[in-house]
Amino acid sequence: MSAEASTFLLPDTGEPGFGVYIHWPFCAAKCPYCDFNSHVRHQAIDQPRFVSAFLKEMETMRTISGPRAVTSVFIGGGTPSLMDPATVDAILSGIARFWHVPAGIEITMEANPSSVEATRFRGYRAAGVNRVSLGVQALNDRDLKFLGRLHNVEDALKAIHLAREIFPRMSFDLIYARPGQTVEDWEAELKQAISYAVDHLSLYQLTIEEGTPFYGLHKAGKLVVPDGDQSALLYEATQDITAAHGMPAYEVSNHARPGAESRHNLTYWRYGDYAGIGPGAHGRLSIGADKLATATERNPEGWLKLVEDHGHGMVDRELLGRDEQADELLLMGLRLREGVDLARWHTLSGRDLDPKREETLLEHGFIERLGNSRLRCTPSGMLILDAVVADLAC
């Protein structure tokens, strides 16, 4: 997008914003816990052909969204760091062609430590990427092997240090609540992670998703994960350690130093608009008072053919009315430490929260008011977030 990638990032305004999400669906191997739309191909990917399709679908999305100023871009996957830097440059240039891209917006790219090379990272940086998110997942080789990762700890540390050197901002992911993991084990690993001078961590509990190899093993009793009580202890230890080290949770699973929060993910959680482009991408685009929910074909080759034939790969388009938008706003916003803007929820839903339900949740310490304008979950409420949302949305 630019030969001179700015090191200055615009500050968070607190507004939902407008994001562009690009999905690169290919991986070198499929992890046994992963239910994301990722695919392994043993032949070389025709990257120029996919770039052309991305640009075509962007053009279609632009006709739906109208002129917008982009506040963040996120290239996810799959493993986007398998792309050539020229591919990333062409994608970002396309976004700038169809929408207004101010200097200094956050442009994030996911990368796996096993596919990291200094020349690639420098190429992504020159293309305009200013934030990288590394899929580290664990900081010991035994658990990395268990999770099906292609890298080892040495690879991970090399990638972390390289990212710190090249990109203004970086984050990495860790998975906890792994089989046999004690609170003491996790505390030591988390402190180690924080010591690498990161400004953002995404910390996820291991979940067993249907359709994955781990699901079959778990169902057969061959994979035992921590029970609810142990998981709660691990979660509480996560909150305590990150807060004590200046990286409190700003969302259920995401922790950052002040000002380093992911702008793109905040767009989702603040219920902003975003264009979802690529195989299996989802989007939300406002059309008057309604919001269009989009979803594209998940199979990469199927998506490619649809785009080449019709200009887009959308297989699902649904106009969400105000009630549906209000439910989504509540679902997303209560994940955030800043909570939900009640005036916005009232505008969408046309009603106030049920006072009896709210009072019950307040009495149990699961939610709290921030003045008269916002409502958020307490740390205890975050542990049962789905139940809190379901109760309030009724």
Side-chain angles (χ1 to χ4, degrees):
M1 182 174 71
S2 171
E4 296 183 9
S6 172
T7 59
F8 171 76
L9 268 72
L10 295 172
D12 174 29
T13 64
E15 296 298 316
F18 172 68
V20 177
Y21 175 77
I22 304 291
H23 191 77
W24 183 258
F26 301 110
C27 280
K30 185 80 172 176
C31 297
Y33 58 85
C34 177
D35 69 337
F36 293 161
N37 188 42
S38 58
H39 304 262
V40 177
R41 296 291 182 265
H42 298 294
Q43 287 79 35
I45 305 301
D46 187 344
Q47 295 193 33
R49 188 179 174 195
F50 271 88
V51 166
S52 295
F54 282 129
L55 299 183
K56 271 192 175 182
E57 191 161 74
M58 280 181 209
E59 186 173 10
T60 298
M61 294 299 181
R62 169 61 173 78
T63 64
I64 298 171
S65 73
R68 299 289 298 268
V70 178
T71 53
S72 65
V73 176
F74 196 103
I75 305 174
T79 306
S81 52
L82 294 174
M83 283 191 279
D84 296 331
T87 298
V88 176
D89 184 71
I91 289 170
L92 295 178
S93 295
I95 294 170
R97 188 189 319 161
F98 293 112
W99 293 282
H100 173 54
V101 179
I105 68 161
E106 177 189 273
I107 300 177
T108 302
M109 180 175 170
E110 291 182 337
N112 276 348
S114 57
S115 61
V116 164
E117 298 174 11
T119 52
R120 281 181 177 269
F121 264 20
R122 294 190 193 283
Y124 301 145
R125 181 74 190 101
V129 175
N130 53 26
R131 181 177 182 271
V132 70
S133 178
L134 293 170
V136 172
Q137 312 308 6
L139 288 173
N140 68 75
D141 287 338
R142 181 200 63 201
D143 283 353
L144 285 171
K145 185 176 181 181
F146 161 74
L147 292 169
R149 307 300 287 170
L150 297 180
H151 63 274
N152 57 27
V153 172
E154 184 180 353
D155 296 330
L157 296 184
K158 176 185 173 185
I160 289 168
H161 295 313
L162 195 60
R164 268 268 74 96
E165 174 189 336
I166 294 172
F167 298 96
R169 291 175 57 198
M170 67 91 69
S171 174
F172 67 84
D173 299 355
L174 291 175
I175 294 174
Y176 67 99
R178 306 189 293 261
Q181 188 178 43
T182 66
V183 171
E184 292 74 23
D185 290 338
W186 174 232
E187 287 177 340
E189 188 172 2
L190 185 51
K191 288 175 183 177
Q192 181 186 355
I194 293 170
S195 75
Y196 296 134
V198 295
D199 50 36
H200 188 287
L201 287 171
S202 296
L203 307 171
Y204 302 107
Q205 290 196 31
L206 177 63
T207 55
I208 306 300
E209 304 292 349
E210 192 168 354
T212 64
F214 272 6
Y215 180 82
L217 291 171
H218 184 258
K219 197 171 182 180
K222 297 178 180 178
L223 174 59
V224 179
V225 296
D227 62 19
D229 289 341
Q230 179 68 1
S231 293
L233 290 173
L234 290 163
Y235 176 81
E236 289 165 1
T238 303
Q239 310 315 304
D240 291 343
I241 290 171
T242 53
H245 288 80
M247 295 183 68
Y250 68 97
E251 188 269 345
V252 174
S253 302
N254 286 273
H255 304 254
R257 301 193 188 283
E261 298 85 357
S262 168
R263 313 286 167 71
H264 188 82
N265 287 335
L266 282 172
T267 292
Y268 297 151
W269 298 319
R270 288 170 175 165
Y271 204 48
D273 280 11
Y274 54 98
I277 294 154
H282 291 253
R284 293 289 187 276
L285 297 170
S286 292
I287 300 176
D290 296 322
K291 190 167 284 210
L292 181 68
T294 66
T296 59
E297 167 61 42
R298 291 172 60 86
N299 177 269
E301 291 76 23
W303 172 84
L304 197 59
K305 186 173 189 316
L306 282 173
V307 175
E308 289 174 343
D309 290 347
H310 305 289
H312 65 84
M314 287 183 283
V315 292
D316 188 17
R317 283 180 279 189
E318 180 186 1
L319 271 181
L320 304 177
R322 288 183 174 272
D323 284 344
E324 293 162 304
Q325 292 179 60
D327 287 345
E328 288 194 339
L329 172 67
L330 201 62
L331 176 66
M332 301 303 283
L334 284 178
R335 297 180 64 89
L336 287 170
R337 185 63 181 151
E338 70 186 30
V340 172
D341 180 343
L342 290 174
R344 188 178 173 204
W345 186 84
H346 177 83
T347 298
L348 288 172
S349 67
R351 59 189 173 90
D352 293 318
L353 294 172
D354 185 307
K356 290 184 179 179
R357 291 179 184 275
E358 182 182 355
E359 185 60 33
T360 299
L361 292 169
L362 285 166
E363 287 176 355
H364 284 84
F366 295 139
I367 60 172
E368 59 188 358
R369 285 267 187 162
L370 298 175
N372 293 320
S373 61
R374 302 190 77 85
L375 182 80
R376 71 180 178 189
C377 277
T378 63
S380 297
M382 287 292 189
L383 288 169
I384 56 166
L385 179 61
D386 290 347
V388 171
V389 171
D391 213 18
L392 287 173
C394 289

